[in-house]
């Protein structure tokens, strides 16, 4: 059974803290993604990676960075957390190549910045 | 600019009736379309997909219809069940793309 695991379900952090969100997949997928979900805005892409050490900006990369040192692991970093980064964060992975495959999501991390 | 749009934020349907969720897209290069279902505090789960070479795909109670000329797809759920109550996201990609583009979601409530 395919699995994408995010390290935390719920996190509460203070403004200005550096925050790490970790994601691991066991499907040997090349592509990994970080989205955030906000009411009325759907899923917005922050960053994605199509290979180890490769990354591409999504629609809303400001205030975030990512790291992919190993194929199975993709980390999202909030350099200095702010209250407008309070959100549900979703990691996903997808097979590379032709576009017609689905992405598999982790269970999500609900981050609250106070 | 939003390339995938779901113009109905919410939909309420009686149990046993049909639920129809709609999605529009603007990019004519999209050739693969997906529907995801999401419960609160969980990640989205894949529901059903359709390739642009088809205009219909069925899986049990779920059917997706694609109208390429109108750049429109819809998800039909028949019969609707209370457990179908969730947020449904439409997504699209083009051949060779590494990315999926998502709509803003429609919250479906099935009333027992």
């Amino acid at each position: 059974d395919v699995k994408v695991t995010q390290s935390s379900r719920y996190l509460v952090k203070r403004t200005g803290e550096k925050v790490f969100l970790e994601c691991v997949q066991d499907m040997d997928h090349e592509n990994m993604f970080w989205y955030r979900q906000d009411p009325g805005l759907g899923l917005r892409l922050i960053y994605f990676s199509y290979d180890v050490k490769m990354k591409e900006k999504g629609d809303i990369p400001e205030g975030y960075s990512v790291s992919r040192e190993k194929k199975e692991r993709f980390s999202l970093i909030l350099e200095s957390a702010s209250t407008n980064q309070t959100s549900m964060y979703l990691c996903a992975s997808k097979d590379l190549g032709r576009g017609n495959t689905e992405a598999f999501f982790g269970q999500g991390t609900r981050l609250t910045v106070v | 600019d939003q390339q995938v749009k779901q113009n109905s934020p919410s939909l309420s349907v009686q149990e046993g009736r049909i639920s129809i969720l709609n999605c529009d897209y603007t990019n004519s290069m999209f050739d693969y379309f997906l529907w995801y279902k999401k419960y609160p505090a969980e990640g989205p789960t894949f529901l059903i997909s359709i390739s642009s070479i088809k205009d219909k795909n069925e899986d049990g109670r779920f059917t997706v219809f694609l109208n390429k000329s109108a750049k429109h797809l819809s998800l039909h759920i028949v019969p609707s069940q209370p457990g179908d109550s969730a947020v449904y996201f439409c997504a699209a990609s083009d051949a060779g793309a590494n990315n999926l583009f998502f709509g803003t979601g429609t919250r479906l409530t099935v009333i027992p």
Side-chain angles (χ1 to χ4, degrees):
Chain A
D1 203 15
V2 298
K3 204 161 179 110
V4 179
T5 304
Q6 295 181 228
S7 53
S8 304
R9 292 295 297 268
Y10 300 95
L11 274 180
V12 180
K13 296 292 181 180
R14 294 195 181 278
T15 301
E17 276 193 78
K18 191 168 187 175
V19 181
F20 294 85
L21 302 182
E22 307 285 347
C23 176
V24 176
Q25 51 100 358
D26 65 358
M27 294 165 282
D28 203 35
H29 284 164
E30 290 83 2
N31 292 342
M32 294 188 75
F33 308 85
W34 276 105
Y35 292 89
R36 62 179 279 179
Q37 183 203 356
D38 300 289
L41 298 176
L43 273 65
R44 294 182 293 166
L45 181 65
I46 304 171
Y47 268 97
F48 70 98
S49 168
Y50 52 90
D51 202 352
V52 175
K53 296 192 185 296
M54 305 302 288
K55 61 185 179 184
E56 293 282 346
K57 291 181 180 179
D59 299 320
I60 50 164
E62 297 80 16
Y64 303 94
S65 62
V66 290
S67 171
R68 190 151 181 218
E69 297 296 318
K70 293 185 177 182
K71 189 176 185 180
E72 67 271 18
R73 189 179 295 271
F74 192 35
S75 303
L76 179 70
I77 303 152
L78 284 67
E79 298 291 344
S80 177
S82 63
T83 54
N84 63 11
Q85 293 178 309
T86 292
S87 186
M88 168 70 97
Y89 289 87
L90 295 161
C91 174
S93 74
K94 180 174 169 298
D95 208 1
L96 186 65
R98 299 187 62 202
N100 50 352
T101 58
E102 68 266 31
F104 296 87
F105 282 85
Q107 77 277 29
T109 297
R110 169 71 64 184
L111 173 67
T112 302
V113 182
V114 298
Chain B
D1 196 24
Q2 195 83 20
Q3 298 189 62
V4 179
K5 299 177 184 179
Q6 294 175 257
N7 292 319
S8 298
S10 63
L11 174 69
S12 290
V13 171
Q14 287 289 133
E15 181 179 4
R17 306 295 289 267
I18 184 171
S19 295
I20 300 176
L21 294 91
N22 293 304
C23 178
D24 297 292
Y25 61 95
T26 57
N27 188 340
S28 58
M29 298 300 292
F30 287 151
D31 66 349
Y32 187 63
F33 305 89
L34 308 92
W35 285 94
Y36 282 83
K37 177 179 179 180
K38 186 182 184 298
Y39 293 118
E42 293 184 14
T45 54
F46 170 73
L47 196 56
I48 192 169
S49 63
I50 187 166
S51 165
S52 60
I53 61 172
K54 293 186 172 182
D55 53 19
K56 178 181 173 182
N57 188 27
E58 259 181 286
D59 184 0
R61 297 186 297 114
F62 302 92
T63 303
V64 56
F65 295 91
L66 175 63
N67 182 333
K68 289 186 289 293
S69 60
K71 294 191 179 70
H72 176 83
L73 64 155
S74 60
L75 174 69
H76 292 210
I77 307 173
V78 183
S80 301
Q81 299 173 353
D84 296 329
S85 296
V87 177
Y88 289 79
F89 290 99
C90 171
S93 70
D94 62 76
N98 294 320
N99 195 3
L100 281 176
F101 296 88
F102 284 86
T104 52
T106 297
R107 179 177 301 279
L108 173 65
T109 302
V110 180
I111 304 162

